[in-house]
Amino acid sequence: RQLRTDFGERRLQVWFQPQVDLVSESVVGMEALLRWPSKDGGYISPAVFVPLAEYSGLIIKIGEWVLEESCRKLKELNELGHTNLRVAVNISMPQFRDPDFVNFVKQAVQRFGIAPQHLELEITESVVMDEPQIVVEALTELKAFGVKIAIDDFGTGFSSMSYLQKLPLDRLKVDRAFVNEVQPGQSAFIAETIVTLGNKLGLQTIAEGVEKREQASYMLKLGCDEAQGYLYAKPMPFDELLAFLPDKSS
Ligand code: C2E
Ligand code: MG
Ligand code: MG
């Protein structure tokens, strides 16, 4: 009930975490992440409240808002000269069940005048497994429209490999758990296997949760394309993101 009230009173926030190219380390995009301020001045984790919002159906409205907010901020970045960044938005299963979902995404892109290829939708393996037919159809239509598709937390669900070929994917996100296995003097076979799999399927790969320099260099050596993690930047409010990005005003 509190989530519903706070969402209605516009108290939820969308933060952004930069994603970087592993070779140049320049920012190539950012992931939009929900933040719910709590009374004690902290934040309730989306890992806690997103499942509640999914269960109650509220995620459909919240998800629409995150999508709009992400497109609005990307437009703002475009106007400030950051014309080649993409924004990644997490999508839940109930959103795919919403018959207006595909049109909502297309209209948001058009309304804000952003390039469709600068919007990326992140879905987890569990979403795909839940109702593959609905998800494959929606994503195929959005992909034809130009939007990019990433599989989030790859390797943590029990993905059926056959869906990797049925889905119109652009990117695999190597789950933080496997990146975290990269420790000095140790190999990280699962991370390596996922990057190889991605490469063989012609997909881009991004390492999640990169916290240490040696993890970044290991992933780069494996042929991973991009990274996201505290080593580069934590999720931050939009104003901080603007300050974080290189100045394009001159
Ligand atoms: P996710 O999509 O896998 O997002 C990445 C999570 O990893 C974020 O947690 C981020 O803050 C965290 N992270 C990034 N780099 C590091 C690192 O170097 N070390 C560590 N320890 N963590 C790192 P966050 O923001 O708490 O979000 C948790 C999950 O909540 C997200 O996981 C996503 O599944 C869900 N979520 C967040 N925003 C949305 C949303 O707008 N819609 C939906 N449906 N789900 C969302
Ligand atoms: Mg994500
Ligand atoms: Mg993830």
Side-chain angles (χ1 to χ4, degrees):
R1 215 176 303 132
Q2 190 66 43
L3 179 61
R4 198 177 288 276
T5 309
D6 283 6
F7 173 60
E9 292 176 355
R10 300 176 167 273
R11 276 200 263 269
L12 264 60
Q13 301 171 12
V14 180
W15 286 23
F16 296 92
Q17 185 180 31
Q19 301 176 320
V20 306
D21 179 282
L22 263 173
V23 176
S24 67
E25 299 211 334
S26 53
V27 180
V28 289
M30 57 263 162
E31 177 173 6
L33 293 160
L34 271 165
R35 289 294 177 265
W36 182 15
S38 62
K39 290 202 176 63
D40 59 15
Y43 292 91
I44 301 165
S45 167
V48 172
F49 74 81
V50 166
L52 295 177
E54 289 175 345
Y55 183 73
S56 65
L58 191 57
I59 196 68
I60 294 182
K61 285 294 161 204
I62 294 180
E64 287 181 347
W65 172 73
V66 173
L67 212 96
E68 278 187 330
E69 201 56 19
S70 302
C71 293
R72 177 178 295 117
K73 296 302 198 239
L74 189 67
K75 179 183 187 217
E76 227 175 295
L77 287 168
N78 284 342
E79 288 167 352
L80 290 168
H82 299 285
T83 50
N84 232 343
L85 296 178
R86 61 168 197 263
V87 67
V89 179
N90 293 285
I91 307 292
S92 288
M93 190 59 220
Q95 296 178 266
F96 282 101
R97 284 200 206 96
D98 170 13
D100 295 329
F101 174 68
V102 170
N103 273 329
F104 188 92
V105 175
K106 290 184 184 173
Q107 280 168 13
V109 165
Q110 282 163 343
R111 201 149 21 99
F112 290 99
I114 60 167
Q117 67 270 23
H118 288 166
L119 174 66
E120 183 160 282
L121 305 182
E122 292 194 3
I123 55 165
T124 58
E125 292 166 82
S126 60
V127 165
V128 185
M129 297 302 288
D130 216 26
E131 266 175 86
Q133 205 42 46
I134 295 187
V135 176
V136 170
E137 270 171 33
L139 292 183
T140 305
E141 197 176 336
L142 286 168
K143 169 89 173 195
F145 178 72
V147 167
K148 302 283 177 190
I149 318 287
I151 291 254
D152 206 352
D153 307 338
F154 189 78
T156 57
F158 292 92
S159 56
S160 157
M161 292 292 162
S162 68
Y163 290 128
L164 282 179
Q165 287 178 311
K166 286 196 190 106
L167 286 167
L169 298 177
D170 297 283
R171 200 178 321 278
L172 292 187
K173 296 193 80 178
V174 183
D175 191 77
R176 174 166 101 220
F178 309 123
V179 175
N180 201 35
E181 279 182 15
V182 180
Q183 305 287 347
Q186 271 184 42
S187 306
F189 293 124
I190 299 186
E192 185 177 342
T193 305
I194 294 175
V195 171
T196 306
L197 178 68
N199 287 341
K200 297 225 164 173
L201 290 170
L203 305 175
Q204 297 278 108
T205 51
I206 179 167
E208 297 192 83
V210 173
E211 294 182 357
K212 301 195 183 103
R213 186 43 61 193
E214 69 252 25
Q215 294 170 339
S217 36
Y218 189 92
M219 295 310 293
L220 174 64
K221 223 167 45 196
L222 292 183
C224 187
D225 303 293
E226 298 175 357
Q228 176 181 347
Y230 297 170
L231 174 66
Y232 308 100
K234 291 192 170 177
M236 57 185 99
F238 185 67
D239 289 354
E240 282 177 35
L241 178 75
L242 285 183
F244 180 85
L245 292 172
D247 189 9
K248 296 267 181 179
S249 61
S250 48

